[in-house]
Amino acid sequence: MGVLMSNLSAQETTCLAESKFSETQCVENPGSAKCVEISVVPDPSGKNFIYEWDLGDGTLLRGESIEHCYEQKDAYEVRLHLIDPVSGLIIRDELSKIIDIEDQNPPKIVVADEVIQNTPINIAYKLDGQDFDSMEVYWAFGDGNYSCQPQPMHTYSESGQVELRMLIIGVRSGEETVLCASKTVTIKEFTFDGNTLNDVFEQKEQTLEDRGRFLNDEAHYIIYEKENPKMYQLFLIKDDQYNVLIETEKDYEMYAWKGNLFTPIQSISTKGMTMEESHVKLKSSIDQLFSKEPLHLDGFRFELDVSDPPVKNLDAIAETMKTYAHVNIAIGVYTHTGGRLDKNIILSKQRGQQVKDDLTERGVAEDRLEVVTAKEEHSLLNTCYGVIHCDLEDETLNRKTEFKVIGVLNSTF
Amino acid sequence: MKIMKQILTVVLFLVVITSQAQRVPNESENIDYLMTFGKDASGDTGDDDHVQIFFFVIPHNYEEPIYLRVFDPEVGGKHDEIKGTANTKMKYSIYGGTGTFSNEDARQIDPKGEYKSGNLLFSKVFDNRASYDSKWHTFGPINPLEGEASDVVSGRVFKIIAESLTGDDGNGYRYFLSVDPNRNLSVQGANAFAYEYTFKLPARNTISHIYPFIDNSVVSITQSNFDFDKNGEILIYSVAKNRHVGSISGDNTWSSSKHDIVEGEKNTTMDVQILKRDASQNTMSVYIMNQYNQPIPFFAVPIGGPPKYKYDLNLNFKKQKDK
């Protein structure tokens, strides 16, 4: 392991990535464009000419800067002619360039929006529909370091934001093609705050089945009339005062959640009580909520190379969500760190969608379930991240599906 | 000088691998005929000195007989400019051996001092006899080993001088270095060059090209032209210059302009483009000096091919909806 890392470091320092970035011009993110904007910077000391562009589809446009939209995707030869404004003399083919409208899918950098400081991260890219005879990949990490490895591993030592850039120089049908991409990455300080799904595994001292890993999460309280679906989130404003005034002669229910933990639903009746007595009742009920054994949206593990989640786990989760009918949950599926990162992300998405579909079939409203996508790359972070050989427990951990409450239904406010 | 030798060695290597045609003026120059006027002709003819010196360089390893052919060598028929009675005599002399190229006087813009240096191999005088009108005259066979061996240009060098003996008429002519006495067959790897060039401009709205090679030592050039009659433009074109406007001369006058050389232009060929505006017949002379006031040679076949300006092209793809 140590030898391998040393070799990687040596390659990173001796590769030509830095000079490639400074020497190579690249149009980033051409997307599925069919329109082009072409311009040349005239030589300021040169003679004045009229610039005429033959766009290769029968279109002639004049100007130092032109825009054109092609009707069909194809490879077009764009040629620049110069016209002497005095004599009308035409100098043909000053410049020509093949514009491939068809194959302009840009590469996509596959890395999390947010990464953790001093934590090795895998950096990869996706390049769909582009076949090269040969290609080289260069990376500029944005912190002064470069790499020539196609899928490098890198550790950011400083927190903050960096512009991660990549450059692909490939040969396709004898023609050099340059593609590039960039992505802003936020490097966060390493914390154990437990607020997000992605870093729960960083807490090494806790076991897989530790149900207390969301203890640092903020508790959320909701209350609603038993016969009325209208629900309120309950906040302590100051001292014993809350943002919701409960009424007398009513039957309420309340519960709280914290991470993936739900308190049992507790009934509160204010019948026969004064307003003051009702508030005392509310406060004592809140204090008792977490004194009882909470329910869990228990995660489960996909078995290796098995696409279907365990049925009994899905049944239990569906039942819990029906009971706690006011909340939405996020589904995050982790994969093990073996194999290619981009494939693991696809697998994570596919499995997350599978869980969502299975829960929907069990009666959970579809709009209450969100497959975590914004943090999708984060879902691949874990304690063995960056380690070539993980032990079995870590690998098993990586295939875990997690659930977490992410808020209440909009319609209930 | 040592540096110059090294540079020109590189030049010749390029010559060997790129040049295949030895028509002078070369087709790529878009110049039809060399012009030399009789010694009594005035300066407004465009010929400042009534002498034209060209060098031919042949690869060291070429040992077959060669022939130097002259098209339309006489003065009195087609391609010539007759002023009244055709009374001009023109002498062509071919030199080889020691001093042909190495003598510094031979590499100047003006025919002064020992410019006829070397061993005279062939010489012939032509007048207005029609038998040579629009015909080829062949000098040779020439033994390639009779050329002056030069490490500077890595080959054997011959020199041909066309000079008028009498008269005031203009002589239009071409050269061809051939392996055959009766046909124009190129000597593989040969090239031709000169330090001053007097030629007849082609018809209206055409571009003629002169190809000086800019070596590593050059930091600026000064182009000078004579008797252009301000009939168009002279543009300096290179990998880094997109037709910088050069100074142009009027009738029977010289004009010069200095142009700085940037790093990217070193060891490349420059293209001096001459845009003639109208259809009038005109002859002009051109030479180029470096910052040391040393003449820079023009090559008939541009070293490394004609230059191509490196445009700073910006290309952005846009989605249809963004338009």
Side-chain angles (χ1 to χ4, degrees):
Chain A
M1 178 60 194
V3 172
L4 177 60
M5 293 303 288
S6 298
N7 288 339
L8 293 177
S9 299
Q11 286 179 26
E12 291 196 10
T13 55
T14 56
C15 83
L16 299 174
E18 183 173 5
S19 60
K20 291 290 182 183
F21 275 96
S22 63
E23 294 168 358
T24 309
Q25 290 187 336
C26 180
V27 178
E28 190 175 328
N29 192 27
S32 57
K34 290 173 68 179
C35 301
V36 289
E37 199 176 64
I38 307 173
S39 64
V40 286
V41 180
D43 181 347
S45 301
K47 174 180 163 61
N48 183 35
F49 282 101
I50 297 169
Y51 289 73
E52 183 175 83
W53 299 88
D54 180 343
L55 279 306
D57 64 348
T59 305
L60 291 175
L61 293 176
R62 289 186 176 185
E64 291 169 6
S65 177
I66 55 117
E67 286 185 40
H68 179 60
C69 291
Y70 289 94
E71 294 295 324
Q72 294 180 333
K73 293 186 175 182
D74 204 344
Y76 297 92
E77 182 181 10
V78 174
R79 296 184 298 157
L80 171 64
H81 310 311
L82 303 185
I83 302 173
D84 187 333
V86 177
S87 66
L89 177 72
I90 301 174
I91 302 171
R92 298 192 177 278
D93 298 330
E94 271 288 288
L95 181 65
S96 74
K97 185 172 182 63
I98 302 293
I99 296 181
D100 194 342
I101 294 295
E102 190 164 20
D103 293 322
Q104 289 297 338
N105 294 326
K108 182 187 176 188
I109 294 177
V110 181
V111 72
D113 295 338
E114 296 179 351
V115 301
I116 306 299
Q117 174 190 0
N118 293 325
T119 302
I121 56 169
N122 278 325
I123 298 173
Y125 66 94
K126 285 170 64 176
L127 186 60
D128 296 327
Q130 308 237 22
D131 296 322
F132 288 97
D133 302 328
S134 63
M135 60 184 280
E136 296 169 341
V137 181
Y138 303 97
W139 293 91
F141 296 119
D143 60 356
N145 293 308
Y146 297 83
S147 174
C148 295
Q149 297 177 46
Q151 301 197 20
M153 187 178 291
H154 187 63
T155 302
Y156 287 102
S157 58
E158 302 288 336
S159 61
Q161 276 197 334
V162 294
E163 184 82 352
L164 173 63
R165 294 182 294 148
M166 75 164 305
L167 186 65
I168 295 176
I169 301 177
V171 176
R172 181 166 48 199
S173 303
E175 291 280 329
E176 183 178 279
T177 299
V178 179
L179 299 172
C180 54
S182 65
K183 181 174 182 173
T184 300
V185 177
T186 300
I187 302 118
K188 299 180 71 173
E189 290 185 6
F190 182 85
T191 63
F192 288 101
D193 59 14
N195 283 332
T196 55
L197 280 172
N198 55 285
D199 59 4
V200 296
F201 296 127
E202 296 290 351
Q203 303 175 53
K204 296 179 182 177
E205 70 279 13
Q206 294 174 333
T207 66
L208 283 178
E209 302 304 322
D210 187 345
R211 292 176 171 179
R213 58 183 175 274
F214 296 112
L215 287 177
N216 290 329
D217 280 13
E218 183 184 355
H220 299 263
Y221 302 85
I222 57 177
I223 188 168
Y224 51 94
E225 288 182 40
K226 200 168 184 177
E227 304 302 326
N228 187 343
K230 191 171 183 179
M231 181 208 72
Y232 299 92
Q233 285 207 81
L234 197 60
F235 302 110
L236 182 65
I237 298 174
K238 64 175 185 177
D239 299 329
D240 293 333
Q241 295 181 16
Y242 291 90
N243 63 324
V244 176
L245 288 175
I246 59 173
E247 300 174 23
T248 59
E249 304 301 318
K250 297 272 186 176
D251 288 325
Y252 291 97
E253 288 185 340
M254 66 178 298
Y255 62 90
W257 83 82
K258 190 175 185 180
N260 70 340
L261 309 178
F262 289 94
T263 67
I265 295 173
Q266 186 159 324
S267 297
I268 304 174
S269 178
T270 58
K271 288 181 177 174
M273 291 182 178
T274 64
M275 183 64 79
E276 186 177 335
E277 289 170 341
S278 298
H279 272 271
V280 172
K281 177 77 171 179
L282 174 64
K283 183 178 181 309
S284 64
S285 298
I286 290 172
D287 291 340
Q288 291 171 13
L289 276 175
F290 279 101
S291 65
K292 299 174 183 175
E293 178 68 17
L295 299 176
H296 306 261
L297 282 176
D298 277 342
F300 52 81
R301 289 181 290 277
F302 279 88
E303 293 305 311
L304 190 62
D305 295 326
V306 174
S307 58
D308 292 325
V311 171
K312 67 175 185 180
N313 296 76
L314 287 173
D315 289 342
I317 291 164
E319 282 305 307
T320 303
M321 290 203 66
K322 290 175 187 173
T323 302
Y324 300 94
H326 309 94
V327 296
N328 300 329
I329 65 166
I331 305 165
V333 179
Y334 300 65
T335 64
H336 70 76
T337 49
R340 285 173 46 180
L341 179 65
D342 54 352
K343 285 189 174 180
N344 282 341
I345 289 173
I346 293 170
L347 180 62
S348 170
K349 280 184 176 179
Q350 287 174 340
R351 285 180 166 175
Q353 187 62 43
Q354 180 67 49
V355 171
K356 180 177 178 177
D357 292 342
D358 288 347
L359 289 173
T360 303
E361 282 181 14
R362 286 165 170 77
V364 180
E366 185 180 0
D367 58 359
R368 296 179 62 200
L369 305 167
E370 179 182 346
V371 177
V372 176
T373 54
K375 306 289 185 185
E376 61 193 10
E377 292 92 351
H378 280 221
S379 68
L380 300 176
L381 290 172
N382 61 23
T383 52
C384 73
Y385 184 76
V387 179
I388 304 302
H389 300 291
C390 288
D391 60 32
L392 181 60
E393 183 178 84
D394 280 338
E395 289 291 355
T396 305
L397 180 69
N398 289 335
R399 298 201 306 271
K400 191 171 179 65
T401 299
E402 286 281 356
F403 302 91
K404 186 175 180 179
V405 180
I406 54 173
V408 296
L409 300 175
N410 287 333
S411 60
T412 60
F413 287 100
Chain B
M1 191 61 190
K2 186 179 178 183
I3 293 172
M4 177 68 86
K5 282 184 178 181
Q6 290 171 340
I7 291 163
L8 288 177
T9 301
V10 174
V11 168
L12 189 75
F13 172 73
L14 291 169
V15 168
V16 168
I17 62 171
T18 59
S19 61
Q20 291 190 17
Q22 289 90 43
R23 197 192 91 170
V24 177
N26 195 258
E27 292 88 340
S28 65
E29 295 176 301
N30 197 26
I31 293 171
D32 289 334
Y33 293 98
L34 302 172
M35 289 297 292
T36 301
F37 278 80
K39 62 183 290 189
D40 299 326
S42 63
D44 62 6
T45 59
D47 186 355
D48 67 316
D49 54 19
H50 316 293
V51 174
Q52 184 119 252
I53 304 173
F54 259 89
F55 297 91
F56 287 88
V57 58
I58 296 158
H60 280 297
N61 59 0
Y62 192 84
E63 296 180 349
E64 299 299 313
I66 58 173
Y67 302 87
L68 186 48
R69 310 186 75 210
V70 184
F71 178 74
D72 194 49
E74 47 71 54
V75 192
K78 286 182 181 177
H79 320 299
D80 303 318
E81 280 187 47
I82 307 304
K83 310 287 186 183
T85 304
N87 58 355
T88 300
K89 290 185 177 179
M90 187 68 59
K91 179 182 179 183
Y92 300 89
S93 304
I94 298 173
Y95 296 83
T98 304
T100 299
F101 171 69
S102 59
N103 190 309
E104 199 168 330
D105 287 348
R107 303 195 304 273
Q108 302 302 316
I109 58 171
D110 292 322
K112 294 178 180 174
E114 299 178 355
Y115 70 95
K116 294 182 180 177
S117 55
N119 303 322
L120 181 62
L121 303 178
F122 297 93
S123 185
K124 184 174 176 62
V125 175
F126 292 85
D127 55 18
N128 61 358
R129 275 177 286 183
S131 56
Y132 287 104
D133 186 21
S134 295
K135 300 286 194 309
W136 287 93
H137 174 76
T138 300
F139 290 103
I142 303 171
N143 183 347
L145 299 179
E146 290 186 283
E148 181 183 25
S150 172
D151 290 336
V152 176
V153 289
S154 295
R156 295 182 178 275
V157 183
F158 293 91
K159 176 170 61 185
I160 182 165
I161 298 176
E163 61 179 328
S164 74
L165 302 177
T166 60
D168 59 358
D169 307 301
N171 177 29
Y173 56 101
R174 292 175 182 165
Y175 296 133
F176 200 102
L177 186 68
S178 177
V179 298
D180 189 292
N182 302 309
R183 294 181 299 163
N184 291 331
L185 296 176
S186 299
V187 177
Q188 184 77 28
N191 205 342
F193 59 94
Y195 292 92
E196 189 189 66
Y197 208 165
T198 300
F199 54 92
K200 183 157 63 178
L201 288 166
R204 175 182 184 175
N205 273 349
T206 54
I207 305 176
S208 300
H209 305 267
I210 294 175
Y211 296 112
F213 184 80
I214 308 301
D215 66 42
N216 259 336
S217 67
V218 179
V219 296
S220 70
I221 61 162
T222 300
Q223 69 84 20
S224 298
N225 59 89
F226 176 69
D227 196 40
F228 185 50
D229 296 344
K230 296 201 170 181
N231 186 16
E233 292 176 287
I234 292 180
L235 305 173
I236 309 299
Y237 180 78
S238 72
V239 292
K241 287 184 174 62
N242 195 355
R243 300 179 176 86
H244 289 196
V245 177
S247 177
I248 55 173
S249 56
D251 183 34
N252 197 18
T253 61
W254 282 96
S255 184
S256 300
S257 56
K258 183 182 175 186
H259 304 268
D260 291 333
I261 298 298
V262 300
E263 197 61 32
E265 294 175 296
K266 294 184 176 179
N267 274 336
T268 68
T269 286
M270 183 171 275
D271 179 2
V272 178
Q273 300 184 349
I274 302 168
L275 280 69
K276 184 167 177 289
R277 189 76 68 212
D278 68 22
S280 63
Q281 199 171 57
N282 191 29
T283 293
M284 68 180 297
S285 298
V286 176
Y287 67 85
I288 292 179
M289 295 287 200
N290 65 15
Q291 69 275 14
Y292 303 118
N293 217 29
Q294 297 168 329
I296 294 175
F298 312 125
F299 284 84
V301 179
I303 307 300
K308 198 76 177 170
Y309 176 71
K310 292 179 180 174
Y311 278 90
D312 186 4
L313 177 72
N314 297 308
L315 175 64
N316 289 307
F317 290 89
K318 299 176 74 176
K319 294 179 181 175
Q320 192 102 30
K321 64 182 181 183
D322 296 335
K323 260 187 74 66

